């Protein structure tokens, strides 16, 4: 019987066909007829082999039908059939790892346990590999984005972050779907029992199980084990998401802080420019082609020049200290207005006085 | 009996009436009386045909009464009645797709399975079509909004994003409601049994089912299948929502980064302007109509001009390097104040010295 | 017996008392004694009439005691008593709508179904009316706030948005509480049975129900119907909340974009001012009262003036193109510094050269 | 027996000891031995009196052991023992309110109902008082922070908001823990039965209960009542949290709007300053000590001055209208560059022309 | 038998081996063979000792196998074996605390209760210690970051906050996993029974338990106790997360407020500079080498100078009051434009008039 199936596999085309009778690699993409034959042989319905969901795990008529993303497989009591396996990057794993693993006889557990364990382990490994790929990139990118010295976020790093953040979301969804499909089996004791294929067919095993080790309990432990591993991966992914959110807040605070510091410097310089403009106006006034009484006074030049520089220096200093006080206390900014008005008046009066 | 119902359909008005006896298209909007007649014929209550919820799926008195948004239908063991079907864009699907599908005899399953599958598939397809419509628009818009080169977000694209984001929310609600209505049926085994209409009426089928294939299990698989498909759509919609949120953060960081870069440039130029103003004041001072001792010194012009340009260049350079150091270290900005004060003093003393 | 109760109602004071014996409007706010009497008559405990929760629905001793916000009522098999109904704006609904609805005999269902349906319908209508009031205001406000042309958000509209957003939160809580109180009844089959008052008292009905229509199932359908309507209202409210959040993000991006555009314009003008200041310094230098060799050269004026204007124009142009390149590429802003330094050197050397 | 316990209480130290035998106030903080004695007397284990959780409610060996934050109590069929009651601000409530409440005989329910009701009511009142304290402060603070007129958020108010927001979080946790401890009892019917202490010890009551009023159902109603009250408090706290979030968004939009308005004003003034600088350069040019042909032309002064003022006014006006158009349409800011270049060219050509 | 096991432990290498026969410290990292021996001795499967999950707690074949992060242990009825205990910082606790605790005979409970309590208490203490380490650092950092006086967030503190926020997330995950593993045991009564090792092996204890104290109930209390403690830690961690979020909002509002205040000051100074430029142009005009009629008028200098200073002062004042009004009302900023235009016209006309 197993032999026939291998023939099925061979006659489809030049597929990779290992000689381990426990693992059948079948390619249905060419002939729909073969699919129907397989259904009849296993007493399955056509719908059972449609694999409409990206992650599913069901027991049907003493077979376990499962799909883990690209991997579609039917697991019977004696063999594992992998369907449509080509072009998915799975060949290497199938031939070099899965086949020897299934062939090894060290396990004391029935075949379906070994096959299921190998597939679930592969799935969890794939998820873990994806997380391991995304995690360091995200951590590095965040590390460099959060650096308080940088004034503006590096855009190429933002792009990298966004890409990896998207991958992380997809990974989270995949983990969730894997967990859900496991949970659906684990939630009902009957379904778990159905997964123990050997128990129902081999009377000898059935008796044994009633004495010592319980198959259903073993199957539950096996599934729970991978459920927990997926749970831990999910936790890591969630933590990573949280770290991205926290880091983004810190990036925003950093950028805002930089802006505030620059704005303060800018304001201080604007104050300086204002002071220079104010007292520069005196110079402009004396530069007019109009008659003043000081044209010939040799001290006048130094007096007026000194007044200009010292005056602007003093006003600037006052403005700076006003700014310092203003930002520390929470006085409403209305005060500024009156302050500058008194300033104006002082200057005017001082001007009048000098007249 | 079936025939009579077709007559009911015909006598209402010029409705589209296919000749497949399995599918009845009935329009109640004109005559309330017909509705009551139908209720009596099917032993339903008036309330059952009110269709108050946008998505519902219930079994009542050996009928399945369902509503999927616009589509209102009653499914009996032998026929599917679609009510108030006009003006909803469903005619094409009803006549060209649903009717042949129901008429085909290839299926080995009873009529109610085929009809339910067709309707649920149509619903899932509609949801998927809506997601497929919204998804590429959102991805494109985000792609162009996230582009780090742009200084300000394109407002028309923001509008497009907001519209599609709203559609996505509505789609998520619809998916959730579809899933809830499926779950309500799936959660109770009795309800699933009630959905197997043929099982309860056809004694032959009932016997069969006790032997081989179980109707209730088939129905559960069928409903679960569409539940899972809706689940996957929901996952995709949720991922898309997450991507919009992540992208918005990146857009904000981009805009903030641009602003910081511009503010730094602005600050550097303000520093230059301040240096020019400061040393320009010397020029203004020498331009005053006041007597200095240098009027006739031919070297004085070049000395003072050189001092102005070189001095402002040097001060600018110092301010720039101060800014560079200031932004990298986290020294409090108070230093600036003392720095500028020493600057003032240097200038003053240097001025005094030159006197 | 019913008559006596009406008398109770009348003797309390000048309350509105309809003559339909099915609906009793009772006002307890004046005399506590009457409350105790009513308790004894219905064999209820004092605590049952305290109505401590804003939304509750319980069956007690063959009575349904319910409170829906302002409406407090006791529903027995034969009559509906509305307590403390005054000053709540319910009079109109009670007299004009509820009373005729209860009196109508078209329904085939027992009295408690009709009364419960009327009250729950009223509650759902109230919730829907509140949502219908809030929804268009929020949509309009968001529409005008999201408008990309506006530079700053209209504050009065923000206030309107905040008020309605608050109302929406309250509405969401009310819907949730209504759903919870329905769910508490629906979750236990016994409670649903207790709600069918007639079933337990009228032996004739009880027998009937064992044959044909099941009272408990009818009651479950009735309650589920209103639960689902509340669910749909809750979905709409949740979508609206999501829309507000999305719109706020868009408003922020809009405001930030506007700011970036204005900052770029500002920076471009600052560049122009800087160029003018730089070359204006040449003019200021020639304006000093110092001896140059060019005083009498008639071409000197045009040469220097032309150099000033053309030079500042060229420098501005270079700065603008530098800005354009700088913002597009992600070069670190350090380049600016060296750029300006070379600029200074060029100017200086050019000055020296002209000497 | 009760008397002995009062003695225990007295001999510990100068504790407040009321003479109502139903309420015992015991202070264990001094002697560990007394605790062991009490355990033995009530047949409890030492661990039962450790009160490790801040909120707990359990039945153990015909006692109800409860802790509500500071209040630790053991409730037997005949008396309520409050442990370690000192220094917690509970004395007033214990002596003035709880004692008379327990002593009053108006209740028809057994002692443990009255005591439990009093304690739970006290707990809910405490929670409500905390919410009532926090709510108006938060509402007031938000009201003043959201005020669109203010330019910058008042920092002292932000501090108040943060403090109260923290209190609100703590309150939410306490409400959740109270609800959880109630729910743990309510979820299992057995536990509720264990809470009816009298039912199990007093045979007379047990018989009664089998006839009329059911103790367990009364207990369930009592606990559910306080659960619902806590639920309503939780809803109010959640709404308040939502309002804080919404208000923060509005505050951000307000601050951003103000900034945009100020930036527009700043940009308009910068445009004015630029225009003045540009045409001021003409004045500076004519101020140079170089020979022009116009020195003696009496009209030249007015022509040049008029050109300066009018020119700068016109350019400013053009820039302002350019800004207006620029911000309304979504033209990319590149246009600005070409615009200013043509401006430069116009000025240059116009200059050349005037030569 | 116990002795042999100690030998196993000793012969592995120079491990710390206490002489209390109740606690075995075993190091498997060197020899895989020993692991298999142990499995056989305890009738466990190899898989049971793989400890694949960071937190697990299971009963298998009358042993409790648990892992709490670094601590891997097998608990039998008579002894506690700690596996691979080296290099984890646990030696101190194992030798100095756990060993005496297990050896003490004061407890009346069986050995497995004492051992389990010691380990769970250690785990909860570890979690609490981690929270106690993180909490004050976060509170301090937030306290100093929220300080309204600071203009820009201290970057080193942000870094500290981010690190601790990450630790908090990890702690939350660990607490959640601990709670989940406890809950998995508590959810099924059978599993709790399996944990009572003594009950199943010691017939004397079994009889006792059927009379007085119930082992399973004691075990449930014990586990529930630690579950509740973890729950409280989880609540505290969640509150802390909420506080970080709230504080970040306040930091943003603070930074934005500071920026608005600085921008207002900047705008006020820009207004001043603009006024000075505008009236400085008059000075520049009079400084031109062109003929005016006022060269020799001695009052002209003072008149023009006074007009310059007073005019710029007045214009500044008007602009400031315009700004004040503009920011308070929500007038659209378009008014500014017309305002400045009338200003220009006034100046021009006033200029013309003076001609």
């Amino acid at each position: 019987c197993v032999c026939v199936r291998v023939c099925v596999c061979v006659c489809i085309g030049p597929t990779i066909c290992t000689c381990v009778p426990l693992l059948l690699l079948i390619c249905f993409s060419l002939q729909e007829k073969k699919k129907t034959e397989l259904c009849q042989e296993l007493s399955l319905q056509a719908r059972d082999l449609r694999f409409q969901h990206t992650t599913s795990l069901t027991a049907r008529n003493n077979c376990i039908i499962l799909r883990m993303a690209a991997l579609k497989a039917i697991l019977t009591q004696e063999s594992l059939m992998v369907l449509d396996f080509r072009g998915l990057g799975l060949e290497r794993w199938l031939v070099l790892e899965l086949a020897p693993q299934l062939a090894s006889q060290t396990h004391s557990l029935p075949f379906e346990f070994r096959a299921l364990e190998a597939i679930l382990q592969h799935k969890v490994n794939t998820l873990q590999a994806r997380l391991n790929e995304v995690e360091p990139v995200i951590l590095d990118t965040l590390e460099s984005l959060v650096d308080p010295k940088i004034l503006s976020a590096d855009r190429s790093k933002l792009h990298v972050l966004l890409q990896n953040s998207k991958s992380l979301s997809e990974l989270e969804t995949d983990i969730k779907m894997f967990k859900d499909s496991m949970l659906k089996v684990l939630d009902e004791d009957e379904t778990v029992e159905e997964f123990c294929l050997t128990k129902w067919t081999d009377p000898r095993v059935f008796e044994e199980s009633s004495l010592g080790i319980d198959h259903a309990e073993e199957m539950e432990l096996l599934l729970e084990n991978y459920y927990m591993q997926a749970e831990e991966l999910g936790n890591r992914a969630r933590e990573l998401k949280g770290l991205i959110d926290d880091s983004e807040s810190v990036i925003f605070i950093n950028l805002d802080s930089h802006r505030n510091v620059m704005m303060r410097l800018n304001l201080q310089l604007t104050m300086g420019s204002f002071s220079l403009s104010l007292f520069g106006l005196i110079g402009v006034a004396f530069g007019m082609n109009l008659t003043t009484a000081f044209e010939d006074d040799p001290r006048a030049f130094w007096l007026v020049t000194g007044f200009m520089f010292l005056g602007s220096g003093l006003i600037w200093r006052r403005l700076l200290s006003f700014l310092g006080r203003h930002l520390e206390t929470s006085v409403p900014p209305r005060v500024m207005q009156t302050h500058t008005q008194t300033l104006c008046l002082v200057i005017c009066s001082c001007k009048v006085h000098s007249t």
Side-chain angles (χ1 to χ4, degrees), chain A:
Chain A
C1 173
V2 168
C3 196
V4 171
R5 276 182 221 139
V6 173
C7 292
V8 165
C9 150
V10 166
C11 66
I12 284 164
T15 56
I16 301 154
C17 177
T18 66
C19 286
V20 187
L22 296 165
L23 176 64
L24 298 176
L25 301 175
I26 303 171
C27 186
F28 279 139
S29 36
L30 302 175
Q31 294 171 298
E32 187 64 25
K33 215 182 75 188
K34 300 292 173 198
K35 201 165 184 174
T36 319
E37 276 176 25
L38 188 73
C39 281
Q40 281 168 356
E41 198 179 340
L42 295 169
S43 318
L44 293 175
Q45 301 219 355
R47 194 190 43 223
D48 294 333
L49 295 189
R50 260 183 234 151
F51 297 105
Q52 286 179 310
H53 315 300
T54 53
T55 307
S56 65
L57 186 67
T58 45
R60 179 93 43 249
N61 197 21
N62 220 19
C63 291
I64 298 173
I65 300 167
L66 55 82
R67 180 175 172 193
M68 298 288 157
L71 179 74
K72 300 170 185 173
I74 304 172
L75 177 58
T76 68
Q77 199 179 330
E78 301 148 348
S79 67
L80 171 69
M81 276 166 275
V82 178
L83 313 183
D84 297 332
F85 62 96
R86 282 208 270 178
L88 303 166
L90 290 170
E91 284 92 348
R92 222 185 129 76
W93 171 71
L94 287 170
V95 178
L96 296 184
E97 292 185 40
L98 184 59
Q101 219 168 331
L102 294 178
S104 76
Q105 301 289 348
T106 54
H107 253 291
S108 63
L109 286 167
F111 176 74
E112 76 266 19
F113 281 79
R114 292 193 336 248
L116 203 58
E117 193 156 22
I119 288 172
L120 292 179
Q121 187 65 54
H122 173 67
K123 176 70 186 175
V124 166
N125 286 349
T126 313
L127 290 174
Q128 183 140 25
R130 281 169 63 191
L131 184 56
N132 286 343
E133 198 181 340
V134 161
E135 198 173 26
V137 180
I138 288 181
L139 288 178
D140 277 12
T141 315
L142 287 180
E143 182 72 24
S144 63
L145 279 174
V146 160
D147 183 10
K149 281 187 193 168
I150 57 165
L151 182 77
S152 64
D154 189 345
R155 294 93 190 256
S156 60
K157 286 199 175 135
L158 281 178
H159 198 246
V160 169
L161 182 66
L162 190 61
Q163 289 309 105
N164 283 286
S165 179
K166 198 179 158 187
S167 306
L168 191 62
S169 294
E170 283 166 8
L171 180 59
E172 268 194 313
T173 307
D174 284 1
I175 292 173
K176 188 178 157 288
M177 281 167 71
F178 179 70
K179 277 168 56 186
D180 283 356
S181 64
M182 301 296 276
L183 210 58
K184 220 178 88 188
V185 177
L186 283 167
D187 270 355
E188 283 180 54
D189 288 347
E190 284 175 39
T191 328
V192 174
E193 296 250 342
E194 280 180 42
F195 270 66
C196 308
L197 306 176
T198 316
K199 191 177 175 183
W200 301 112
T201 48
D202 193 345
R204 193 176 46 76
V205 173
F206 194 70
E207 271 172 42
E208 237 178 68
S209 90
S210 60
L211 302 172
I213 179 171
D214 183 16
H215 271 210
E217 200 181 320
E218 284 300 313
M219 182 55 79
E220 200 177 336
L221 280 175
L222 191 152
L223 293 174
E224 215 162 56
N225 182 13
Y226 291 104
Y227 177 79
M228 298 269 287
Q229 290 192 25
E231 175 94 18
E232 285 182 22
L233 287 179
N235 281 338
R236 269 174 65 198
R238 203 162 33 82
E239 266 181 46
L240 206 53
K241 279 248 136 177
L243 187 63
I244 292 177
D245 282 356
D246 290 351
S247 299
E248 276 173 358
S249 296
V250 168
I251 291 171
F252 279 120
I253 296 181
N254 259 339
L255 291 179
D256 273 25
S257 288
H258 264 113
R259 210 171 318 148
N260 275 12
V261 167
M262 287 195 286
M263 190 163 269
R264 185 177 178 135
L265 283 174
N266 203 353
L267 185 53
Q268 289 171 332
L269 286 174
T270 305
M271 284 171 166
S273 296
F274 174 77
S275 312
L276 289 175
S277 299
L278 184 64
F279 284 88
L281 209 58
I282 298 171
V284 170
F286 278 98
M288 293 190 292
N289 294 328
L290 297 175
T291 319
T292 58
F294 314 119
E295 273 93 356
D296 301 319
D297 191 337
R299 292 167 313 170
F301 174 75
W302 297 111
L303 276 173
V304 174
T305 306
F307 180 67
M308 269 160 60
F309 278 93
L310 279 176
S312 58
L314 281 170
I315 288 287
W316 190 15
R317 203 169 160 179
R318 271 195 95 157
L319 286 171
L320 287 177
S321 69
F322 168 75
L323 174 66
R325 266 180 294 117
H326 185 65
L327 290 178
E328 269 173 24
T329 57
S330 51
V331 195
R334 201 64 43 82
V335 170
M336 170 67 194
Q337 200 170 332
T338 61
H339 194 92
T340 47
Q341 284 177 13
T342 54
L343 205 90
C344 290
L345 290 180
V346 165
I347 293 165
C348 294
S349 66
C350 138
K351 190 163 49 67
V352 168
H353 197 258
S354 75
T355 326

